[in-house]
Amino acid sequence: MAEEKKLFKVTIDNISVEVEPGTTILNAARQIGGDIVPPAMCYYSKLQGSGGKCRTCLVKVSKGSEADPRPMPKLVASCRTTVMDGMEVANITSPEVIEARKGVVEILLLNHPLDCPICDQAGECHLQDLSYEHGVSATRYEFKRRTFDKVDLGDKIQLHMTRCILCYRCVFTADQLTEKREHGVLGRGEHAEIGTYIKESLDNDFIGNVIDVCPVGALTDKTFRFKNRVWFLKPVDAHRNCENPKCCGKTTLWMRGEEVFRVTARKDVYGEVEAFICDTCRFDKKEAKDWVVEGPRNISRSSVISQNHYVKTVKPQETIEKVLDGRKPKLLMDIHTVSEVNRPGIDLSQIEGPAHSDDFNKKGVQ
Amino acid sequence: MGRKLLLDKAHIEGIRYYDVYRKNGGYAAAEKALKSMTTDQVLDEVKKSGLRGRGGAGFPTGLKWSFIAKPEGVPRYLVCNADESEPGTFKDRYLMEFLPHLLIEGLLISSYTLGANSTYIYIRGEYAWIPDILEEAIAEAKKNGWLGKNIQGTGFDLEIYVQRGGGAYICGEETALIESLEGKRGNPRLKPPFPAVKGLWQSPTVVNNVETLAAVVPIINIGGEEYAKIGVGKSTGTKLISACGNINKPGVYEIDMTISVEEFIYSEEYCGGIPNGKRLKACIPGGSSVPILPANLLLTTAKGEKRMMNYESLNDGGFATGTMMGSGGFIVLDEDQCVVRHTLSLARFYHHESCGQCSPCREGTGWMKRVLLNIENGKGKMSDIDLLWDIQRKIEGNTICPLGDAAAWPVAAAIRHFRDEFEWHITHPEEALKRNFGLAHYADPLPVPQPVA
Ligand SMILES: Cc1cc2nc3c(=O)[nH]c(=O)nc-3n(C[C@H](O)[C@H](O)[C@H](O)COP(=O)(O)O)c2cc1C
Ligand code: SF4
Ligand code: SF4
Ligand code: FES
């Protein structure tokens, strides 16, 4: 009989889990799930060597292990620190961690413009989520932010360095997924920037994946840019028999009616690509007939994309009548009679795709 | 007079050359180690000596060597860190320039002990003339059978290669140095794995400072126990101090770590006091990254004792009242010096030198610099002092490598000990500008001097 593998017990925010030796604190937390999972802006489980850079995943190790219970002197990057048996970790239960994370968010936002309203990544941006969770409404930074001109990296990808947070994910992607790496980080410190090899274009089979791994809106898909806001689109899982043997051909289509606006790889709960896709699938197959649609994609991340996608909602009981002993409340104004738009007969959730002005055509008012 | 172990022969004419070095006892330690000692015996001597790394962190060298992994069939490497880019530190330069054979002998003994057959000297790009001196000495050593195959018939092989760095401070950090040596961007690696397990080309590697490796020679010559008797407590042996700033005799001194800071600054043997009879204001005793101390805390420890020039005494009381030995770059400031200005100067340096991998260091160092620039230029606000304090706290301890800490500590210490000076700048902007030595508009980046028409 094969010897049973010894598992390590780790306790994160008072919740214990047993994991295989070699598991990082972040991945142990992901096995537990929920709020205790540290955020990650640079780690990407599918990319070797990623992580450790952004410092958003810092946690406090209050007990090193059963054998050596001493706490670790500094906060550690949970994405790169492996668990020990008996380790105890504090994430959201540590005020020190929350404070440090707030600091990291503030620092990440120094040079990142908060231009979400015009950024193509709005709704899908991890930094946007992070700043909502940990940020403050005002910045104490009163200096000019660094800005760059937009650069077209080939005909399909646009780089806007102004928004880049130098997480290196795209560099690792290009390095590990494509045959040759044509871009990397140039310069040092605050002058560091993502750049191509003497303005070469990125035109490898799999290079489009850099768009998917970019946590912010620095790398965008030119075939989609500003054609729509993601939350107006309906994500569906689809597949096709891709000729490229390395491509799984399984994607998410972002549709409106029959129109395919955008094709991306499928992402998991942490916003990470499940399997990378080739550029043909991503950029060239933009018609519904190219694909076999499997069904709606469940976006489980707490993102605006999943907002208003009511699943299993329970209609609130009308309580006012109860309170008023069965009397109906006196309405000062009935919005339906005034607007003639929000007709009670129309159930928004029944409309195919997002609501459109045609659905509220006055002529249709009965 | 303190005992000299490294620079005792530095004054001998022509000691740079093999013949003179050999005639004056050179390579005796190498001969002893390679011919009459096992590697374990050498390691034991180094452990007994209590030698602590002279690159800054002061980690016990013997212990560090004993960590090196020894997997079968995998080469091991020794790398000599000659990057020496810490502002205020210039001791390694002196050793390499005047006593190249001392370093080579130290490298030979250390490589033998570690089982390394290839050793690299990674030298900072700005020391443009020193690689030639080293190459010349290496060729001489090779010619005389101290390098190459089967050294002195002992069966031990060693090649020493000199590699010039591109001139980036971060390449002095050991893992960034290894990356750079491999021909990549000098970004620090995340630890673990430590270089002792996976270093250069994923092989077990030890990175040591020039002075540390040179110190192995006297340790073998006089024995580890004898070496440990010199100095005090855990500060054994001698230490090179590069002294600069407002002192009468800037230079590189070898001390035995039993003298007081006061003696070091004022005695004729060392710095020779402060020019023009000015008063001592402050000092950064261990290279720019260690906390600055005001005169009173510099001369007396938290316990009210005389502050001595050694690891423990300089550290007394932690950062609230103490500082660090660091790399031994001793920078003295007289009463006319402006701490705000000095802090700005250091902040500019760390901002410029950050590798940019981790967000707190990449962005935070620039933020500190800009706030300091405002204060120095009479545009500061009172709240800026607390803001600076807050920014440095957000960087310290939260980064991949210690450059983040190195950038944070000078700012923290300056505010801790010289808060009134920051306040004065803010409340007296006009005067602050006037005493700004004509560099009032200390722009960002520094203005390039224009040729006079
Ligand atoms: C930013 C940074 C720069 C450094 N620069 C140097 C250097 O120039 N020379 C050096 O010997 N050590 C430098 N160090 C320390 C090295 O990482 C390493 O600790 C040292 O070379 C080990 O040698 P030792 O054990 O002999 O002291 C630096 C560390 C940091 C974080
Ligand atoms: S472009 Fe995007 S993926 Fe690449 S380093 Fe910048 S933020 Fe990261
Ligand atoms: S602390 Fe600074 S120098 Fe060190 S890895 Fe991070 S960004 Fe680079
Ligand atoms: S996700 Fe861990 S440091 Fe970036």
Side-chain angles (χ1 to χ4, degrees):
Chain A
M1 217 177 92
E3 215 179 288
E4 225 175 82
K5 220 182 216 168
K6 177 160 169 34
L7 296 179
F8 283 176
K9 182 180 159 199
V10 52
T11 308
I12 304 168
D13 289 336
N14 306 319
I15 307 173
S16 297
V17 64
E18 296 211 325
V19 296
E20 293 212 354
T23 309
T24 57
I25 298 173
L26 180 75
N27 280 329
R30 284 182 174 185
Q31 287 187 24
I32 299 172
D35 288 347
I36 62 133
V37 182
M41 296 294 295
C42 70
Y43 172 76
Y44 211 76
S45 58
K46 278 81 191 177
L47 297 171
Q48 254 181 24
S50 66
K53 299 183 187 348
C54 70
R55 317 307 283 177
T56 52
C57 70
L58 292 174
V59 291
K60 187 174 177 61
V61 176
S62 47
K63 177 179 169 191
S65 69
E66 214 54 74
D68 182 1
R70 284 176 302 172
M72 290 193 183
K74 293 179 183 177
L75 302 184
V76 297
S78 60
C79 66
R80 290 294 290 257
T81 310
T82 46
V83 299
M84 300 300 283
D85 195 22
M87 185 183 262
E88 284 174 17
V89 178
N91 179 34
I92 49 173
T93 49
S94 160
E96 196 188 336
V97 170
I98 303 293
E99 193 53 36
R101 200 165 286 152
K102 267 192 183 162
V104 173
V105 173
E106 181 176 24
I107 270 172
L108 277 172
L109 292 175
L110 290 192
N111 271 313
H112 182 93
L114 274 179
D115 58 358
C116 312
I118 57 148
C119 173
D120 216 35
Q121 187 90 348
E124 292 181 315
C125 174
H126 294 203
L127 186 54
Q128 193 182 26
D129 298 344
L130 197 66
S131 53
Y132 271 122
E133 285 155 22
H134 297 276
V136 282
S137 56
T139 174
R140 294 180 295 171
Y141 190 73
E142 29 180 60
F143 303 93
K144 234 172 104 180
R145 290 178 156 79
R146 60 179 202 168
T147 50
F148 296 81
D149 288 339
K150 297 183 188 84
V151 187
D152 285 335
L153 305 175
D155 55 347
K156 305 273 176 35
I157 303 172
Q158 191 177 71
L159 167 69
H160 197 188
M161 247 319 286
T162 306
R163 297 194 182 110
C164 171
I165 57 156
L166 282 160
C167 70
Y168 283 61
R169 280 181 182 176
C170 60
V171 180
F172 283 117
T173 305
D175 207 16
Q176 292 167 27
L177 248 56
T178 63
E179 318 247 280
K180 64 177 175 167
R181 202 178 101 192
E182 294 151 324
H183 84 298
V185 177
L186 315 177
R188 203 167 55 202
E190 214 182 44
H191 311 287
E193 59 176 295
I194 294 292
T196 53
Y197 187 49
I198 329 245
K199 294 240 156 152
E200 266 210 53
S201 51
L202 304 181
D203 60 358
N204 270 292
D205 267 5
F206 279 80
I207 199 67
N209 290 297
V210 297
I211 302 165
D212 279 351
V213 302
C214 185
V216 293
L219 288 166
T220 45
D221 176 351
K222 283 178 65 188
T223 66
F224 171 66
R225 261 176 87 81
F226 302 122
K227 294 229 168 75
N228 221 310
R229 302 309 261 172
V230 282
W231 54 87
F232 289 144
L233 300 175
K234 197 163 167 178
V236 295
D237 280 347
H239 66 264
R240 60 181 280 271
N241 276 335
C242 182
E243 315 73 54
N244 192 323
K246 284 194 276 173
C247 175
C248 62
K250 291 180 183 157
T251 60
T252 299
L253 307 182
W254 298 78
M255 304 181 67
R256 188 155 167 175
E258 275 303 287
E259 201 178 338
V260 178
F261 274 82
R262 177 171 83 143
V263 182
T264 65
R266 296 182 189 175
K267 293 187 179 178
D268 64 15
V269 265
Y270 300 109
E272 290 183 11
V273 166
E274 285 164 7
F276 293 105
I277 57 166
C278 73
D279 284 7
T280 311
C281 285
R282 181 186 306 274
F283 297 124
D284 303 336
K285 302 292 170 188
K286 289 286 183 74
E287 286 184 42
K289 66 175 170 36
D290 296 327
W291 296 94
V292 180
V293 174
E294 295 165 17
R297 170 111 196 130
N298 183 21
I299 306 284
S300 45
R301 244 178 114 246
S302 53
S303 144
V304 287
I305 306 170
S306 50
Q307 298 300 302
N308 306 332
H309 286 230
Y310 303 117
V311 187
K312 291 188 203 146
T313 43
V314 182
K315 265 200 166 177
Q317 296 225 321
E318 209 53 82
T319 56
I320 296 179
E321 275 185 53
K322 269 191 197 162
V323 175
L324 295 177
D325 294 333
R327 277 178 289 134
K328 289 220 180 259
K330 187 177 173 225
L331 287 179
L332 295 174
M333 182 181 77
D334 183 349
I335 186 74
H336 300 302
T337 54
V338 179
S339 78
E340 296 180 334
V341 168
N342 290 312
R343 286 164 296 141
I346 287 192
D347 187 342
L348 290 176
S349 61
Q350 294 300 311
I351 297 174
E352 181 88 18
H356 188 272
S357 55
D358 287 350
D359 296 316
F360 303 103
N361 194 340
K362 278 200 179 175
K363 279 185 231 149
V365 179
Q366 286 118 31
Chain B
M1 261 244 325
R3 187 155 171 192
K4 305 264 179 291
L5 294 176
L6 297 171
L7 304 184
D8 55 339
K9 300 183 189 115
H11 61 281
I12 299 173
E13 174 97 23
I15 194 75
R16 213 181 104 181
Y17 300 103
Y18 176 81
D19 292 340
V20 183
Y21 182 73
R22 181 74 175 134
K23 232 182 270 159
N24 284 282
Y27 288 98
E31 198 154 20
K32 182 171 165 190
L34 266 67
K35 290 190 179 165
S36 67
M37 294 169 82
T38 63
T39 54
D40 281 347
Q41 282 169 333
V42 183
L43 177 61
D44 214 39
E45 289 302 319
V46 175
K47 276 189 179 162
K48 272 195 236 159
S49 75
L51 174 67
R52 295 169 68 165
R54 305 299 198 221
F59 192 80
T61 306
L63 190 60
K64 185 166 172 175
W65 287 8
S66 63
F67 291 152
I68 193 161
K70 293 179 175 162
E72 277 295 308
V74 179
R76 273 166 257 156
Y77 297 103
L78 171 67
V79 179
C80 169
N81 190 343
D83 196 61
E84 192 161 69
S85 314
E86 182 94 338
T89 308
F90 44 92
K91 62 186 178 82
D92 296 341
R93 160 186 168 174
Y94 193 90
L95 267 179
M96 292 186 286
E97 195 169 343
F98 297 104
L99 294 156
H101 281 288
L102 179 69
L103 176 60
I104 294 170
E105 189 178 357
L107 288 176
L108 174 54
I109 301 169
S110 311
S111 306
Y112 167 70
T113 316
L114 293 163
N117 301 110
S118 297
T119 290
Y120 295 84
I121 302 175
Y122 184 94
I123 184 163
R124 73 177 295 200
E126 290 90 339
Y127 284 170
W129 67 102
I130 300 182
D132 294 341
I133 297 176
L134 292 172
E135 298 275 13
E136 192 184 7
I138 288 169
E140 280 186 317
K142 201 164 182 173
K143 208 172 108 203
N144 288 285
W146 292 104
L147 289 177
K149 290 249 171 258
N150 190 17
I151 293 167
Q152 303 290 331
T154 59
F156 178 61
D157 307 334
L158 177 67
E159 292 295 342
I160 297 179
Y161 305 97
V162 181
Q163 177 65 45
R164 297 165 198 241
Y169 171 63
I170 191 59
C171 290
E173 194 282 331
E174 57 181 6
T175 56
L177 187 156
I178 289 171
E179 285 281 294
S180 171
L181 206 48
E182 288 181 2
K184 295 185 249 163
R185 236 181 106 81
N187 280 359
R189 292 180 183 170
L190 277 113
K191 295 189 224 177
F194 288 90
V197 180
K198 276 190 179 163
L200 189 59
W201 293 301
Q202 299 295 306
S203 297
T205 303
V206 165
V207 181
N208 272 135
N209 173 257
V210 170
E211 185 191 344
T212 314
L213 293 163
V216 173
V217 176
I219 289 173
I220 297 305
N221 270 330
I222 65 172
E225 260 170 42
E226 190 61 29
Y227 186 88
K229 283 186 201 150
I230 307 166
V232 57
K234 287 186 180 157
S235 304
T236 62
T238 61
K239 172 88 190 86
L240 295 185
I241 304 286
S242 57
C244 61
N246 302 117
I247 45 173
N248 280 317
K249 291 165 49 186
V252 178
Y253 297 100
E254 185 169 6
I255 62 162
D256 67 8
M257 296 199 265
T258 54
I259 59 167
S260 68
V261 173
E262 190 172 3
E263 186 185 345
F264 186 71
I265 297 176
Y266 290 103
S267 78
E268 267 315 299
E269 191 183 342
Y270 301 108
C271 304
I274 297 171
N276 308 318
K278 293 230 167 96
R279 273 182 309 166
L280 171 71
K281 176 169 184 174
C283 172
I284 303 171
S288 68
S289 58
V290 314
I292 189 171
L293 276 191
N296 57 337
L297 288 175
L298 180 69
L299 303 180
T300 324
T301 66
K303 295 181 197 133
E305 294 163 355
K306 238 179 201 252
R307 178 99 57 192
M308 309 301 283
M309 292 285 287
N310 64 50
Y311 290 92
E312 291 85 14
S313 186
L314 282 170
N315 202 5
D316 188 75
F319 286 171
T321 52
T323 176
M324 283 165 84
M325 178 65 125
S327 57
F330 198 87
I331 309 165
V332 179
L333 273 58
D334 73 17
E335 57 187 306
D336 290 344
Q337 300 305 311
C338 165
V339 170
V340 176
R341 186 183 175 77
H342 276 270
T343 312
L344 165 62
S345 176
L346 295 180
R348 286 180 71 227
F349 174 78
Y350 289 109
H351 170 235
H352 185 260
E353 296 299 328
S354 161
C355 86
Q357 267 192 110
C358 34
S359 0
C361 173
R362 182 184 63 239
E363 311 285 341
T365 48
W367 193 5
M368 290 198 300
K369 180 192 80 172
R370 293 185 183 103
V371 175
L372 280 162
L373 198 59
N374 269 355
I375 298 178
E376 168 70 0
N377 279 342
K379 290 188 238 153
K381 299 189 289 289
M382 253 340 168
S383 59
D384 282 347
I385 306 175
D386 290 337
L387 176 63
L388 271 176
W389 181 263
D390 208 40
I391 305 171
Q392 66 79 23
R393 271 191 48 215
K394 288 188 163 139
I395 302 173
E396 196 218 331
N398 290 342
T399 53
I400 298 175
C401 89
L403 189 136
D405 302 339
W409 289 338
V411 175
I415 297 176
R416 188 180 287 127
H417 301 302
F418 295 94
R419 196 181 178 103
D420 52 346
E421 206 156 312
F422 286 84
E423 288 172 0
W424 183 85
H425 270 72
I426 293 162
T427 49
H428 300 76
E430 296 293 322
E431 284 169 63
L433 271 181
K434 257 188 255 152
R435 50 138 295 287
N436 192 317
F437 312 111
L439 277 172
H441 301 290
Y442 193 50
D444 174 22
L446 271 182
V448 179
Q450 296 299 315
V452 183

